[in-house]
């Protein structure tokens, strides 16, 4: 039985999104938006030669906002455009061709083309179709989920990843140094024990324009044990989070299991 895809539903509805996809009031952005405050997300120019300044700005944004935008990051605009172009082209393919890359039934992995991502809360479904696959490291890549059409899909992704490494290293270096750690330590998948914020991801849709995004998630291997860094824990600042395997954390997160 072919899965019901949001892209197909969206192409047939006119003014009303089906009830099953409308979030409960307490989850809707209008209820959680701060009113009367200018919420300008920090924008950080990471090409600034003053590395101490960059570290301070990234750390401040991470502590106070849990999010920020970087500019002049060194990824050429043509590389980004090519990367986005092949993504759009995939979702414009006939449905039968997209289904060739669908997640296998019953899989616990998020890799592949699909609609269902996590446990439904209050019977509500996510208004999104997605294509997830690993892009690094090479031994972890499963090309079974990399579309062969459009033909430049693999080339565009691999070129983007080449430039992405430098951006990732710079961000983790700044985040580590601000915590008083060695520049490589936070990249080893250890938590900041609450010093840096994590914000909810909420988006809105309109009937006039398709929203697409190209997120890249940085995550450790499933068997790696993660938890607050020992240097950030003491009697006055005890661990705020449990130490556990990253794979177990993800399973609980996606299935809404208390941790």
């Amino acid at each position: 039985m072919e899965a019901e895809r949001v892209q197909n539903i969206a192409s047939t509805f006119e003014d009303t999104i089906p009830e099953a996809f409308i979030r409960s009031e307490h989850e809707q952005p209008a209820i959680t938006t701060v009113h009367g405050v200018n919420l300008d997300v920090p924008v950080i120019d990471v090409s600034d030669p003053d590395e101490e300044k960059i570290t301070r700005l990234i750390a401040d944004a991470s502590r106070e906002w849990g999010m920020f935008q970087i500019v002049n990051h060194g990824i050429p605009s043509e590389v980004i455009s090519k990367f986005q172009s092949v993504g759009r082209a995939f979702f414009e393919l006939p449905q039968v061709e997209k289904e060739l890359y669908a997640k296998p039934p019953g899989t616990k992995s998020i890799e592949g083309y699909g609609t269902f991502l996590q446990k439904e809360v209050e019977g509500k479904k996510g208004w999104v179709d997605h294509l997830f696959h690993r892009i690094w490291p090479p031994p972890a890549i499963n090309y079974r989920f990399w579309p062969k059409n459009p033909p430049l899909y693999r080339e565009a992704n691999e070129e983007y990843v080449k430039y992405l490494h430098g951006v990732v290293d710079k961000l983790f270096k700044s985040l580590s140094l601000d915590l008083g750690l060695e520049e490589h330590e936070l990249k080893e998948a250890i938590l900041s024990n609450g010093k840096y914020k994590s914000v909810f991801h909420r988006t809105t849709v309109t009937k006039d324009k398709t929203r697409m995004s190209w997120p890249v998630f940085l995550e450790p291997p499933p068997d790696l044990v993660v938890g607050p860094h020992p240097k950030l824990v003491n009697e006055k600042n005890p661990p705020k989070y449990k130490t556990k395997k990253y794979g177990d954390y993800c399973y609980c997160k996606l299935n809404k299991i208390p941790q």
Side-chain angles (χ1 to χ4, degrees):
M1 180 178 176
E2 186 174 294
E4 187 178 40
R5 303 303 186 193
V6 168
Q7 191 174 7
N8 293 337
I9 298 173
S11 66
T12 59
F13 87 94
E14 295 181 356
D15 295 318
T16 305
I17 293 178
E19 184 67 27
F21 295 94
I22 299 177
R23 292 304 214 188
S24 302
E25 280 194 6
H26 64 85
E27 281 202 286
Q28 294 181 14
I31 303 300
T32 59
T33 299
V34 178
H35 299 284
V37 179
N38 184 14
L39 296 177
D40 287 334
V41 174
V43 178
I44 302 171
D45 183 350
V46 293
S47 68
D48 193 316
D50 188 341
E51 291 196 5
E52 289 187 4
K53 176 184 176 183
I54 294 176
T55 294
R56 184 177 67 255
L57 292 174
I58 289 176
D60 288 348
S62 299
R63 292 174 187 274
E64 298 171 12
W65 284 77
M67 62 184 298
F68 52 87
Q69 178 185 0
I70 61 172
V71 296
N72 297 323
H73 39 63
I75 305 179
S77 57
E78 60 269 20
V79 171
I80 296 175
S81 296
K82 185 177 177 181
F83 176 64
Q84 293 177 326
S85 177
V86 295
R88 289 192 187 93
F90 171 77
F91 281 95
E92 292 170 357
L93 293 174
Q95 190 61 39
V96 66
E97 193 165 351
K98 286 182 289 196
E99 294 294 343
L100 295 174
Y101 304 96
K103 299 178 186 178
T107 182
K108 292 184 178 180
S109 172
I110 67 169
E111 285 197 279
Y113 168 67
T115 298
F116 179 81
L117 181 59
Q118 60 186 14
K119 182 179 179 180
E120 296 174 2
V121 178
E122 300 176 352
K124 300 299 182 180
K125 301 178 180 180
W127 184 250
V128 61
D129 292 335
H130 57 259
L131 173 65
F132 283 136
H133 58 69
R134 290 183 174 85
I135 58 176
W136 191 264
I141 296 175
N142 184 351
Y143 289 109
R144 143 89 172 82
F145 298 111
W146 286 49
K148 293 181 174 59
N149 190 15
L152 293 178
Y153 187 90
R154 178 169 173 172
E155 177 184 310
N157 276 258
E158 291 179 338
E159 187 175 16
Y160 182 74
V161 171
K162 284 194 303 183
Y163 287 96
L164 193 62
H165 286 304
V167 178
V168 171
D169 289 343
K170 178 172 286 191
L171 294 178
F172 271 115
K173 176 182 176 181
S174 294
L175 292 169
S176 291
L177 292 176
D178 178 73
L179 293 173
L181 305 174
E182 298 297 325
E183 61 183 52
H184 62 85
E185 290 189 89
L186 204 60
K187 192 179 179 182
E188 296 172 351
I190 305 296
L191 304 179
S192 71
N193 203 36
K195 294 184 180 295
Y196 295 145
K197 290 183 178 180
S198 177
V199 296
F200 284 114
H201 180 197
R202 292 288 184 268
T203 59
T204 56
V205 297
T206 71
K207 65 180 181 179
D208 302 314
K209 185 178 180 180
T210 298
R211 180 186 182 277
M212 293 190 71
S213 60
W214 288 259
V216 176
F217 298 100
L218 306 177
E219 60 180 24
D223 290 335
L224 185 69
V225 176
V226 297
H229 196 290
K231 293 181 181 179
L232 304 177
V233 174
N234 52 47
E235 290 185 4
K236 295 182 179 180
N237 188 32
K240 295 181 173 63
Y241 306 96
K242 296 178 181 178
T243 296
K244 61 172 58 179
K245 289 183 178 180
Y246 181 72
D248 294 337
Y249 163 77
C250 287
Y251 180 82
C252 292
K253 179 76 172 178
L254 294 176
N255 288 280
K256 309 297 183 183
I257 299 173
Q259 306 207 56

